[in-house]
């Protein structure tokens, strides 16, 4: 009986267009360098990702999941694989795999923050306006902080509600207190009160919305992703890094436009068309955030690490018993 042997052209057609050993669990660029992390986050925070349909998101998830199983769609190129990976990363939580609420995704940061921040900096002179926009801002931050939390432990509605009320109340109270102080300073200095309020509020909102992580810990792994346990110490480092990133992220958009707006409002154009003040302010903030958001996300590696010696004593003992010689553990710090 004759045995059929496919020809080389047929074998080439049967072979996948791309290799099966591309590590799409990690970003495309070297995350040990700031430039590599910046390239990664410019892609992750691309505002165009929030315009993608559910069908596009599900198609990206299928491509990524299939590739991890060794299945490659005919004609798929490496660039298309990486594009699917980044669409997937922009919409699905890295630990739980669940689809994230759209306004909580990092790709929504620029359009949402430019609108809220621009309005906070335009309508800051009266207490009702400060109260309303700080409440809107902290409610948005609460959604972002929950959506981009680290770990896969579930959080109850009661816990989430308590954290939201505590975080928002504390943040709004801080903003109102600073606004009262602002009435004693010059108008230019007063324009910086929203930034001081946002910086202070981030120090309250983020830890409160992620308090479960501080109490129960977040998953820590070895370099290959093998789970070693949960650590509160790792959660403390992760949340501290996120607080610093968020404050610096807000800095350019809240520090540069006040100087520009203070000058523009003395010109004839804005005196004649005062309603243009808010759109101009929003636009200025947006320009700053397009660059500040990815660059500040890149300050610390997403896959953060810490020495085993800094972990809780019981977790250290367990790791030394099961993985002797392991010196560092890794974890998702959240965003």
């Amino acid at each position: 009986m004759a045995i059929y042997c496919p020809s080389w052209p047929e074998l080439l057609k049967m072979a996948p267009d791309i290799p099966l050993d591309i590590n799409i669990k990690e970003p495309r660029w070297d995350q040990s360098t700031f430039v590599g992390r910046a390239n990664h986050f410019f892609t992750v925070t691309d505002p165009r990702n929030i315009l993608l349909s559910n069908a596009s998101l599900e198609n990206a998830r299928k491509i990524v999941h299939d590739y991890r199983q060794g299945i490659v769609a005919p004609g798929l190129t490496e660039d298309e694989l990486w594009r699917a990976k980044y669409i997937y990363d922009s919409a699905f939580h890295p630990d739980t795999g669940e689809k994230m609420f759209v306004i909580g995704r990092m790709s929504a940061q620029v359009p949402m923050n430019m609108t809220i921040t621009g309005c906070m900096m335009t309508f800051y002179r009266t207490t009702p306006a400060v109260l309303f926009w700080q409440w809107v801002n902290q409610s948005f931050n609460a959604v972002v902080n929950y959506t981009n939390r680290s770990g896969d432990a579930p959080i109850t509605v009661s816990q989430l509600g308590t954290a939201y009320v505590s975080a928002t109340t504390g943040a709004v109270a801080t903003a109102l207190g600073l606004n009262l102080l602002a009435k004693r300073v010059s108008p230019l200095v007063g324009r910086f009160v929203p930034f001081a309020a946002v910086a202070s509020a981030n120090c309250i909102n983020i830890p409160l919305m992620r308090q479960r992580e501080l109490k129960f810990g977040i998953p820590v792994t070895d370099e290959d992703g093998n789970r070693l346990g949960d650590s509160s110490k790792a959660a403390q480092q992760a949340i501290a890094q996120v607080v610093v990133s968020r404050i610096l992220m807000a800095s350019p958009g809240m520090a540069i436009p006040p100087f520009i707006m203070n000058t523009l409002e003395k010109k004839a154009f804005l005196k004649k068309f005062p309603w243009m003040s808010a759109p101009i302010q929003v636009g200025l903030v947006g320009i700053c955030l397009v660059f500040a958001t990815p660059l500040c996300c890149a300050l610390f590696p997403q896959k953060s690490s810490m020495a085993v010696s800094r972990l809780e004593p019981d977790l250290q003992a367990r790791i030394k018993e099961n993985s002797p010689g392991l010196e560092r553990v890794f974890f998702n710090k959240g965003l």
Side-chain angles (χ1 to χ4, degrees):
M1 182 175 66
I3 299 175
Y4 172 71
C5 293
S7 64
W8 273 110
E10 290 174 316
L11 285 172
L12 289 173
K13 288 181 181 178
M14 293 166 60
D17 294 321
I18 56 176
L20 295 174
D21 58 353
I22 300 171
N23 185 12
I24 58 170
K25 290 183 179 180
E26 301 294 335
R28 189 173 193 176
W29 295 276
D30 181 6
Q31 296 299 283
S32 66
T33 68
F34 177 76
V35 172
R37 295 195 296 272
N39 282 325
H40 168 70
F41 281 109
F42 266 109
T43 307
V44 169
T45 63
D46 187 339
R48 292 174 296 180
N49 288 339
I50 62 172
L51 301 176
L52 296 171
S53 66
N54 282 329
S56 297
L57 298 180
E58 291 300 330
N59 182 57
R61 175 157 67 174
K62 184 178 186 304
I63 290 173
V64 170
H65 284 194
D66 284 351
Y67 185 83
R68 289 173 178 171
Q69 301 298 318
I71 303 169
V72 181
L76 185 72
T77 66
E78 185 171 348
D79 284 341
E80 289 170 342
L81 174 63
W82 281 113
R83 173 63 179 153
K85 179 253 191 315
Y86 273 101
I87 290 175
Y88 175 80
D89 285 353
S90 75
F92 297 90
H93 193 277
D95 293 325
T96 67
E98 66 184 13
K99 187 182 292 183
M100 296 183 287
F101 187 48
V102 63
I103 68 169
R105 300 173 193 169
M106 292 309 292
S107 51
Q109 284 288 291
V110 171
M112 290 298 297
N113 267 328
M114 67 183 282
T115 303
I116 296 171
T117 303
C119 289
M120 275 197 301
M121 296 174 67
T122 302
F123 310 110
Y124 67 93
R125 293 181 175 89
T126 66
T127 298
V130 170
L131 184 63
F132 176 75
W133 285 109
Q134 286 294 337
W135 169 74
V136 170
N137 186 50
Q138 293 312 318
S139 296
F140 169 65
N141 284 343
V143 172
V144 173
N145 295 336
Y146 172 74
T147 303
N148 294 281
R149 68 198 182 280
S150 175
D152 52 9
I155 181 170
T156 67
V157 174
S158 175
Q159 291 170 330
L160 183 60
T162 301
Y164 166 72
V165 172
S166 302
T168 304
T169 302
V172 170
T174 302
L176 289 174
L178 288 169
N179 196 54
L180 289 174
L181 292 175
K183 293 179 180 178
R184 305 175 187 174
V185 297
S186 69
L188 179 58
V189 174
R191 287 183 178 275
F192 289 92
V193 168
F195 171 62
V198 166
S200 303
N202 272 324
C203 297
I204 300 170
N205 197 315
I206 295 172
L208 281 174
M209 287 303 296
R210 295 177 61 175
Q211 60 185 280
R212 182 181 176 84
E213 299 172 37
L214 294 170
K215 185 175 181 180
F216 298 106
I218 58 176
V220 294
T221 69
D222 61 20
E223 197 165 8
D224 297 321
N226 300 309
R227 190 162 177 166
L228 304 170
D230 296 330
S231 170
S232 296
K233 297 284 189 182
Q236 291 171 17
Q237 176 176 306
I239 290 171
Q241 290 177 342
V242 171
V243 168
V244 171
S245 294
R246 292 283 188 85
I247 291 173
L248 293 177
M249 192 185 297
S251 299
M254 301 192 83
I256 297 172
F259 289 106
I260 299 174
M261 292 304 299
N262 201 54
T263 301
L264 290 179
E265 287 182 353
K266 297 174 183 176
K267 304 294 183 182
F269 178 76
L270 281 184
K271 287 182 178 180
K272 186 176 181 180
F273 304 103
W275 59 270
M276 284 295 296
S277 180
I280 292 174
Q281 186 118 251
V282 169
L284 290 171
V285 172
I287 293 170
C288 294
L289 285 172
V290 164
F291 298 97
T293 300
L295 293 177
C296 290
C297 282
L299 290 174
F300 305 101
Q302 180 70 35
K303 185 179 179 181
S304 194
S305 70
M306 68 188 305
V308 172
S309 59
R310 293 179 54 201
L311 298 171
E312 296 85 338
D314 59 328
L315 184 55
Q316 285 188 47
R318 206 183 322 151
I319 291 174
K320 288 177 181 177
E321 180 182 348
N322 298 326
S323 306
L326 186 67
E327 295 183 354
R328 298 194 72 80
V329 295
F330 299 84
F331 51 90
N332 169 32
K333 71 173 176 62
L335 286 171

